[in-house]
Amino acid sequence: MKINVLGVGFDNVTMDEAVARGIELMEQPGFHYVVTPNPEFVLAAEKDEEFRRVLNGADLVIPDGIGVIFSAKLLGTPLKSRVPGIEFSAGMLAHMDKVGGRVFLLGAKPGVAELAGQRIKEQFPNLTICGTHDGYFKEDEPVVQAVKAANADLLFVCLGAPRQEKFMAQHGPELGAKLAMGLGGSLDVYAGVVERAPERWQKLNLEWAYRLKKEPKRIGRMAKLPLILVKAVKARLTGGMKEEV
Ligand code: UDP
């Protein structure tokens, strides 16, 4: 059963459970996709019905962002833990390394995916980076064909939300991959272009604050985040979040 946080249904999984589910999905026939919603996604999905449908149509919905965890708690349906997309992706890469799988990296500014590929290969030498492509393209079709031709097992889709989720849902099986994962700015982190918060900040659930410190221009985007908590309290008080998603 999914945990409904303001209209988005989350899987109630720990990091290990999420990776185990991801591996299971890769072993099943057909195409599957994973989404990693944070509070910004949830607020955007309230206004964008297609985005909400695409999030709820994913095979695995992992809670990325402490605001989602707090909201679920306020709603009276707590989630087990935060599952940062970047850590989930590292777990999936470790599996690819173990089985000698093929990974395609799509997204970020020109050159970043290649650099991320080199870094990933240093850490996971037994997997194959079967292709890369930047995320600043106008037409989807040539990119879909490039991914398909690369015959990937696992596909990173790092175009920012909601574009990455809509891309996975729209092109799905055409991509030829077993599993696609929408991972926001992860390629920037793998490439070393953007640093993740030090562990101390992560442990204090202050990763968002570190990001704000590094990229002050995010203040506009972040200012509306407390809204998710207010909405969660309101939904709890009016008993409005009981329906299944
Ligand atoms: N991006 C992209 N194509 C675009 C817009 C963004 O590939 O048209 C990339 C951008 O370079 C960045 C990622 O998508 O690497 C999104 O980063 P953001 O910080 O918005 O994502 P978050 O990690 O906050 O989900």
Side-chain angles (χ1 to χ4, degrees), residues 36 38 40-41 64 106-110 112 133-137 157-161 163-165 182-189 194 211 215 218 221:
T36 60
N38 62 27
E40 270 186 272
F41 288 46
D64 186 348
L106 170 61
K109 296 204 173 117
V112 173
H133 197 293
D134 71 76
Y136 291 81
F137 50 88
V157 186
C158 301
L159 309 172
R163 191 169 167 217
Q164 61 198 12
E165 289 74 23
L183 293 168
S186 297
L187 289 178
D188 297 315
V189 177
V194 169
R211 210 154 177 202
E215 295 174 72
R218 294 180 86 94
R221 268 171 79 173

Side-chain angles (χ1 to χ4, degrees), residues 94-167:
H95 175 67
M96 287 290 92
D97 191 45
K98 198 164 143 199
V99 299
R102 297 169 66 78
V103 182
F104 194 106
L105 307 176
L106 170 61
K109 296 204 173 117
V112 173
E114 287 81 350
L115 192 55
Q118 287 165 21
R119 294 279 194 96
I120 287 171
K121 199 60 193 154
E122 282 163 21
Q123 209 184 331
F124 304 102
N126 201 34
L127 57 70
T128 300
I129 300 293
C130 62
T132 58
H133 197 293
D134 71 76
Y136 291 81
F137 50 88
K138 291 225 164 62
E139 283 176 30
D140 286 4
E141 206 38 45
V143 177
V144 171
Q145 291 311 323
V147 175
K148 190 174 177 183
N151 199 16
D153 297 307
L154 183 66
L155 170 64
F156 281 46
V157 186
C158 301
L159 309 172
R163 191 169 167 217
Q164 61 198 12
E165 289 74 23
K166 290 181 180 174
F167 182 91

